[in-house]
Amino acid sequence: MGSVNLRAEAEADEAAAEIDKLSESRSELVQAVEKLRSAINRLNREARGRLRNTFGTVDQHFQSVFKTLFQGGEARLELVDSEDPLEAGLEIVASPPGKQLQKISLLSGGEKALAALSLIFAMFLTRPAPLCVLDEVDAALDDSNVERFCALLTEIAKASNTRLLVVTHHPFTMTQMDRLYGVTMQEPGVSTMVSVDLAHAEGLREAS
């Protein structure tokens, strides 16, 4: 019959205990996975709802700002490539005055710049901040579009109480600011900052 394993019963008990332990661990892992999946699904549902609401608000602002900058026309934002907003792409469809509705890729360079500005300001108006920095965003605009751009800045500043810090080289944009800051080099290697309070200067001019 061969040798008898005197520890067989003890080893069987140890194996059974190990199986019970592994089974309990597996059950805990399954429960943890289910909780994690439930949390992910809940977060995704909340994210989809917030995204749809925010997207709708941004789209409304975009249409309004677009009409202001283009003095008419039509534009809208579309989610494409997926019915799930978390996986969808963004398409800008625009129709400047006198043109058919088309994708932004088919617009001219100046029109693309205005459409991009419309989207930037639409997102900003959705959740305004106390400070907004614009670094030469008017560089690609012609004079007439710069005037509309500056008028829009004035409206946004009044509506949102936002301080706008505009970096520009355009003379007209400078004239529309309340205060100008510039850097000059009067001596080689020595930079000096100068500032002009245009609102105060205008008041002095009118008083005189």
Side-chain angles (χ1 to χ4, degrees):
M1 293 179 59
S3 60
V4 177
N5 185 1
L6 300 179
R7 296 193 70 258
E9 184 176 357
E11 290 176 353
D13 291 340
E14 291 174 0
E18 184 66 20
I19 291 174
D20 291 340
K21 183 179 179 180
L22 291 175
S23 178
E24 183 179 354
S25 298
R26 179 183 180 279
S27 178
E28 291 176 353
L29 287 174
V30 170
Q31 292 179 6
V33 169
E34 291 299 324
K35 289 182 179 179
L36 183 59
R37 286 177 176 172
S38 177
I40 291 174
N41 290 334
R42 185 178 68 255
L43 290 174
N44 283 341
R45 286 195 301 270
E46 183 177 350
R48 289 186 183 95
R50 290 188 177 186
L51 179 57
R52 287 191 180 97
N53 292 336
T54 302
F55 178 81
T57 303
V58 172
D59 187 33
Q60 290 177 359
H61 286 307
F62 175 71
Q63 295 180 33
S64 175
V65 174
F66 183 91
K67 291 180 180 179
T68 298
L69 289 178
F70 280 87
Q71 291 188 334
E74 180 183 353
R76 66 175 182 268
L77 303 177
E78 295 180 350
L79 294 176
V80 296
D81 299 332
S82 176
E83 295 183 358
D84 186 349
L86 296 180
E87 299 179 359
L90 177 65
E91 185 75 71
I92 299 177
V93 181
S95 172
K99 293 189 176 182
Q100 295 181 347
L101 204 62
Q102 55 191 329
K103 295 181 179 179
I104 189 175
S105 59
L106 301 177
L107 300 179
S108 67
E111 291 170 340
K112 288 179 181 178
L114 285 179
L117 283 175
S118 299
L119 180 57
I120 290 173
F121 284 120
M123 292 188 290
F124 179 80
L125 290 172
T126 301
R127 182 167 294 182
L131 178 66
C132 178
V133 180
L134 301 170
D135 189 0
E136 296 191 38
V137 297
D138 58 350
L141 305 180
D142 57 26
D143 291 344
S144 60
N145 288 330
V146 168
E147 292 183 18
R148 300 174 198 168
F149 165 72
C150 290
L152 179 63
L153 290 185
T154 301
E155 292 181 11
I156 291 176
K158 291 180 179 179
S160 61
N161 293 321
T162 297
R163 288 188 175 273
L164 298 169
L165 179 59
V166 182
V167 180
T168 182
H169 292 287
H170 199 286
F172 183 82
T173 304
M174 295 181 190
T175 64
Q176 302 305 301
M177 301 296 105
D178 294 327
R179 182 182 292 271
L180 293 179
Y181 293 92
V183 178
T184 181
M185 187 176 293
Q186 298 177 347
E187 300 179 14
V190 180
S191 298
T192 303
M193 177 174 287
V194 295
S195 66
V196 178
D197 189 337
L198 293 183
H200 180 66
E202 182 66 19
L204 292 177
R205 186 184 69 83
E206 293 178 355
S208 61

